[in-house]
Amino acid sequence: MERRFLTLGIESSCDDTAVSILDGQRDVKADLISSQIKDHAPFGGVVPEFASRKHLEAILPLVDRALENAGVSDPAQELSLIGVTAGPGLMGSLLVGVMTAKALAQTWHIPILGVNHLEGHLFANVVASPDLEPPFICLIVSGGHTEIILVEDFGNYSLLGATRDDAAGEAYDKVAKLLGLGYPGGPIIDSLAHKGNSEAFSFPVPLRSSDEIAFSFSGLKTAVLWAVKDLKEKSVDLPIADLCASFQKAAVEALMTKVERAVEVTGIRKVAISGGVAANRGLRNALQRKKDWNVFIPPAIRCTDNGVMIAAAAYNGYKRGLISDLFLTPNPSWPLV
């Protein structure tokens, strides 16, 4: 019987501590996440130093539970690889994950591989879709990133376009804060948008008329700000659902317009999305309406930061001949391309 190839995946780039164990490329044996949303919600966003302390509290118990859930009693003999997010992200948070991974790798005498967080998001689709093979286009869209990547082969990536200012998820959070909806804003706005009239406000779709593959969300965010100010000056109750629906319509159109442009430029009609905003129903629905594309949308649980995507990227990278050593150091600004 062939020995299993078990990869321990560790993700701690921001405010979620995630640990998984993957057998091969897609067989999930354990998948655990410790969320800090409730801890950071009172501050309206992630507090970096607080996040790193919460990672310290959560990470080793999660590793123990993951091993138990996967039926691993002797990690030194049964695990084949440790994959860990080494960037981009918050330095303090990354350090907790990387140092933990290095300590375990040294203790158990097994290989370690530092994974780019964005490549991890890309591999969330690979785990979910066995028939997803390069070449394809991937829209990575989250609270910190909005970019379109051409995946010519695994490990061979080209940047087709990125945001000039705010990431899409960041814009969602800022608009939610403006409307007094709480944190994180994306899921709240998405939920309210489906109850509102998306034609109530005519918000601009950034860079819609440009052939450039690029994003900008600061102007859209400002347009919502001025609409709210105008309503308040008129002593009108804010139509929250309509504002959310109109904002989401413009944001989704901004994303879709540039994905359409990427398809036009490359001729590739195989399109994947990943990252936290990939869970947005408005964006998912817009992609599913593209009947002439082959669209890959991961389940919502694979959109947010998770250990499975890191283990999957690490496994694939290791099979391509990549390996790190115990001098592995986090890089908070590590670009995928």
Side-chain angles (χ1 to χ4, degrees), residues 64-117:
D64 287 341
R65 283 176 52 202
L67 294 172
E68 181 181 355
N69 290 358
V72 175
S73 57
D74 187 353
Q77 295 299 318
E78 297 177 65
L79 292 182
S80 302
L81 176 68
I82 297 177
V84 60
T85 303
L90 301 175
M91 187 59 174
S93 295
L94 291 168
L95 273 170
V96 174
V98 169
M99 295 304 290
T100 299
K102 291 201 297 184
L104 296 177
Q106 186 174 29
T107 300
W108 295 332
H109 302 287
I110 57 177
I112 183 173
L113 180 59
V115 173
N116 184 289
H117 179 75

Side-chain angles (χ1 to χ4, degrees), residues 124-145:
N125 290 281
V126 176
V127 174
S129 304
D131 54 340
L132 177 59
E133 293 289 342
F136 62 90
I137 292 168
C138 186
L139 170 66
I140 302 177
V141 56
S142 66
H145 305 276

Side-chain angles (χ1 to χ4, degrees), residues 7-12 15-22 28-36 55 58-71 301-302 304-311:
T7 303
L8 173 67
I10 297 176
E11 154 63 25
S12 67
D15 61 330
D16 284 336
T17 315
V19 176
S20 75
I21 294 179
L22 199 65
V28 180
K29 296 301 184 183
D31 182 18
L32 300 171
I33 298 177
S34 177
S35 173
Q36 299 181 19
H55 285 305
I59 197 162
L60 288 179
L62 282 181
V63 170
D64 287 341
R65 283 176 52 202
L67 294 172
E68 181 181 355
N69 290 358
I301 195 172
R302 296 282 175 259
T304 53
D305 295 348
N306 60 90
V308 170
M309 69 184 197
I310 302 304

Side-chain angles (χ1 to χ4, degrees), residues 285-326:
N285 291 341
L287 279 162
Q288 288 167 343
R289 288 194 290 268
K290 291 291 184 179
K291 302 303 182 183
D292 58 337
W293 292 1
N294 192 5
V295 176
F296 296 85
I297 303 175
I301 195 172
R302 296 282 175 259
C303 294
T304 53
D305 295 348
N306 60 90
V308 170
M309 69 184 197
I310 302 304
Y315 171 81
N316 193 280
Y318 185 76
K319 290 298 182 179
R320 299 195 312 265
L322 301 180
I323 193 67
S324 301
D325 56 32
L326 295 180

